[in-house]
Amino acid sequence: EAGFELELVVPRKDSLNERAIDDFYGLRRKISVTRLPVLNFLPKTRFGFNLCALSFALAYFFYLRKTERKSIIYTIDFDQFSFFPMPFLKKPYFFETHATKRKNFLYNFFLKRASGIIAINNWIKKDLIAKFGLAEDRLMVFPNGIDLAMFRSDLGQNESRANLGLPQDRKIILYSGRFYQWKGLA
């Protein structure tokens, strides 16, 4: 919506919904989607998942390497290793992480070469700084966002509670999500 050209690069898998991403997410602008071929047999096994992740790493590496356009890569948590070719693309990349990472050579190599790291909470940011010795100014915290327009309703609070069978005279606290330790909730 800010006017930048955006291309989403994803694995082409039978399990992925082929519906247009803008329809699926209710986006107001179309996004170009490139689906790269991957090895996706035995998808419900650990070996099959890892094979798919490895083939996606190689597919996106060769796809992005041949791209002549000046670009910036923005990526979120992949899996445990498909990020490893990204530093070799010699393009600036930003990494959004939703979890802390286990200290190992691959993550150390990847994170130290990132142009910036975006953590979804301060707990993850502090953990990455401590584990990988990253400079604090290279990390930003941006909590997950939502489009509040998706939750607008013509119903008032009392009518909504009545429709859902909820008490009118009590306070309700709601959390929608999972209680993972890395979310800082445990």
Side-chain angles (χ1 to χ4, degrees), residues 16-27 31 33 35:
L16 286 179
N17 186 338
E18 293 294 326
R19 194 167 109 193
I21 194 161
D22 49 312
D23 289 338
F24 185 79
Y25 287 106
L27 302 177
I31 292 178
V33 178
R35 289 180 167 84

Side-chain angles (χ1 to χ4, degrees), residues 104-136:
N104 63 38
F105 172 77
L106 287 178
Y107 273 118
N108 193 54
F109 185 78
F110 174 75
L111 293 172
K112 295 232 171 159
R113 284 156 183 78
S115 300
I117 301 163
I118 299 94
I120 63 164
N121 62 41
N122 278 310
W123 188 76
I124 295 170
K125 176 183 174 179
K126 289 175 185 173
D127 190 68
L128 291 173
I129 290 169
K131 278 184 185 169
F132 296 97
L134 302 169
E136 187 169 352

Side-chain angles (χ1 to χ4, degrees), residues 13-153:
K13 298 179 0 178
D14 295 336
S15 62
L16 286 179
N17 186 338
E18 293 294 326
R19 194 167 109 193
I21 194 161
D22 49 312
D23 289 338
F24 185 79
Y25 287 106
L27 302 177
R28 293 180 282 268
R29 304 234 9 220
K30 287 215 175 277
I31 292 178
S32 171
V33 178
T34 300
R35 289 180 167 84
L36 300 176
V38 293
L39 299 173
N40 193 33
F41 50 89
L42 305 171
K44 298 207 185 304
T45 66
R46 177 177 224 126
F47 174 77
F49 176 81
N50 288 334
L51 184 62
C52 182
L54 177 62
S55 65
F56 179 62
L58 295 173
Y60 85 70
F61 176 78
F62 288 111
Y63 175 76
L64 293 174
R65 187 152 185 212
K66 72 176 182 160
T67 301
E68 297 292 326
R69 293 183 306 233
K70 193 170 191 169
S71 57
I72 296 172
I73 300 169
Y74 187 97
T75 185
I76 62 167
D77 285 331
F78 282 101
D79 47 58
Q80 65 273 24
F81 63 83
S82 65
F83 57 85
F84 77 89
M86 197 161 292
F88 299 104
L89 288 169
K90 297 190 174 25
K91 294 179 187 244
Y93 64 91
F94 290 81
F95 175 62
E96 178 182 320
T97 182
H98 294 224
T100 186
K101 301 298 168 208
R102 191 175 2 190
K103 184 161 173 78
N104 63 38
F105 172 77
L106 287 178
Y107 273 118
N108 193 54
F109 185 78
F110 174 75
L111 293 172
K112 295 232 171 159
R113 284 156 183 78
S115 300
I117 301 163
I118 299 94
I120 63 164
N121 62 41
N122 278 310
W123 188 76
I124 295 170
K125 176 183 174 179
K126 289 175 185 173
D127 190 68
L128 291 173
I129 290 169
K131 278 184 185 169
F132 296 97
L134 302 169
E136 187 169 352
D137 64 351
R138 294 193 53 238
L139 286 93
M140 300 166 268
V141 174
F142 287 103
N144 289 338
I146 60 167
D147 183 353
L148 292 175
M150 293 174 60
F151 299 94
R152 286 199 184 110
S153 173

